[in-house]
Amino acid sequence: MNELFNQKINFFVKHVPSFSRKDLTIYYVYRKLAPYFQRDLDFFMASQERQLQIYEQGFEMQGENVVCQTICQYYGHVFRKLHIDFKIITTNNKLVPHFALLVSGDYGWFLIDPLKDLYRNQLGFQPKFFGVIPFGGTVRELYPYLISLDNNYILSIAKETNTLPFGNFLDVFFELLHQDIFQSSNGDFGLEKGANEISIIQAKLKFISDYLLNIGEVLGNYERRQYHSDLKTCFFNRPECNHIDIRITDDFQLSIVIYEDLERQHKVAEYLEFRDCDNEYRLKRVV
């Protein structure tokens, strides 16, 4: 384990509150440890053949850059120090299998998947892979004793662990924001009625850059691409979405391209996401 990163993890462990129940500790760690990590782009942006080569060579714990197996190892390291029983398992029979964790909670063993929920945990969305039993893969067959956790129960432990800065999962805020945007006029983005589609897109992107890029603790560009995809769904209607392409470039920068035509042949503008001197995310127009 990377020594400096190991120190950060151990510092995290020392500051985990002393909860009265195991489920609270498990959930707190699940949410609060997530901002320490980002997907390893050298693996996730590689071809399937290259991913298989990396897997056969063996994954290494390289600090913040993780794959499914190594993030489970880091979570396991923390759970061990907090006296939470756990098992690292594979959830399918693919050539490069997916890894997750089983943890022993207050009412039995349940599955958590810190990589699949990494972005949602960093942003503050409701987790999708905490206390669920997957329908596909091998989990149901190999671990028939697992329990599932009700969404209302998960919300209650989220509130009890004080991990809801907005009083609820951020999904709720995004749903309300989406409704408000599509009930409003273009004037809310500083535009007059009748503005053309490209002007509307650029105005909405400016609003996003000014007010929404720094919600949560979403660090890696793989996860930030997912965040921008969710913002795209929230802010833009389907015709507008057809003009927008969100990608990670060959040098691993996050790029948002606006095209004039639906065939995406004529680029109108391109924005790159960067961090300013205050460590805040911003969009910079480069084309």
Side-chain angles (χ1 to χ4, degrees):
M1 190 184 296
N2 178 288
E3 184 57 35
L4 180 61
F5 192 75
N6 187 28
Q7 293 175 10
K8 292 173 63 176
I9 296 297
N10 288 333
F11 181 83
F12 171 84
V13 171
K14 290 179 182 179
H15 290 82
V16 173
S18 179
F19 294 109
S20 59
R21 297 192 294 113
K22 289 192 292 183
D23 284 358
L24 301 177
T25 301
I26 294 168
Y27 185 82
Y28 182 90
V29 170
Y30 193 60
R31 299 293 284 200
K32 291 296 187 178
L33 193 58
Y36 286 71
F37 302 106
Q38 59 186 8
R39 277 176 173 80
D40 184 351
L41 294 182
D42 286 330
F43 176 80
F44 286 100
M45 299 297 290
S47 66
Q48 290 185 345
E49 293 78 10
R50 177 57 184 152
Q51 288 183 350
L52 180 58
Q53 289 178 348
I54 296 172
Y55 170 69
E56 290 176 338
Q57 292 167 1
F59 295 126
E60 296 182 5
M61 299 172 75
Q62 302 181 32
E64 65 184 9
N65 296 309
V66 293
V67 296
C68 55
Q69 184 179 20
T70 56
I71 195 173
C72 286
Q73 289 171 320
Y74 281 118
Y75 270 79
H77 173 76
V78 172
F79 286 139
R80 185 180 296 111
K81 287 183 172 292
L82 296 172
H83 309 291
I84 299 292
D85 292 331
F86 70 94
K87 301 174 185 177
I88 297 177
I89 66 166
T90 56
T91 65
N92 56 40
N93 290 321
K94 294 182 178 180
L95 289 176
V96 181
H98 183 75
F99 290 81
L101 286 152
L102 304 183
V103 289
S104 176
D106 295 315
Y107 305 104
W109 287 81
F110 59 90
L111 180 139
I112 61 174
D113 195 325
L115 186 76
K116 286 187 176 180
D117 264 336
L118 180 60
Y119 157 71
R120 300 184 70 83
N121 281 333
Q122 291 176 340
L123 186 59
F125 277 4
Q126 182 171 355
K128 287 186 175 181
F129 301 94
F130 184 89
V132 299
I133 304 175
F135 283 100
T138 59
V139 174
R140 282 180 179 269
E141 179 183 350
L142 296 179
Y143 308 99
Y145 54 85
L146 295 182
I147 64 171
S148 60
L149 303 180
D150 178 80
N151 284 339
N152 289 329
Y153 177 68
I154 295 174
L155 178 59
S156 71
I157 60 177
K159 290 179 177 178
E160 199 168 344
T161 53
N162 196 30
T163 54
L164 292 174
F166 299 98
N168 206 326
F169 293 117
L170 200 64
D171 313 50
V172 177
F173 167 74
F174 267 61
E175 289 170 5
L176 293 174
L177 182 60
H178 177 77
Q179 293 172 14
D180 184 62
I181 288 169
F182 287 96
Q183 291 172 357
S184 64
S185 66
N186 295 334
D188 292 337
F189 294 98
L191 296 170
E192 296 181 358
K193 289 185 178 181
N196 66 60
E197 208 164 43
I198 300 301
S199 297
I200 295 171
I201 292 171
Q202 291 176 315
K204 288 181 178 180
L205 277 178
K206 183 179 186 309
F207 181 87
I208 289 171
S209 180
D210 289 344
Y211 299 108
L212 294 174
L213 290 190
N214 295 283
I215 293 177
E217 299 175 275
V218 185
L219 303 181
N221 276 346
Y222 196 99
E223 290 72 40
R224 293 202 64 80
R225 180 177 64 179
Q226 180 61 54
Y227 182 41
H228 279 279
S229 295
D230 283 341
L231 287 170
K232 178 179 172 182
T233 301
C234 179
F235 270 79
F236 301 96
N237 60 35
R238 184 167 296 179
E240 292 167 352
C241 286
N242 291 333
H243 291 275
I244 303 169
D245 184 33
I246 302 168
R247 67 179 72 169
I248 297 175
T249 65
D250 291 340
D251 57 351
F252 295 163
Q253 294 189 81
L254 183 69
S255 165
I256 301 174
V257 180
I258 303 174
Y259 291 95
E260 182 178 6
D261 58 314
L262 298 182
E263 291 76 22
R264 297 187 175 184
Q265 298 296 317
H266 303 287
K267 185 187 297 186
V268 174
E270 180 177 5
Y271 299 82
L272 295 179
E273 188 176 68
F274 72 101
R275 279 183 161 181
D276 63 17
C277 58
D278 296 318
N279 216 28
E280 297 282 299
Y281 287 102
R282 293 286 182 261
L283 291 178
K284 178 182 180 181
R285 183 169 179 174
V286 293
V287 174

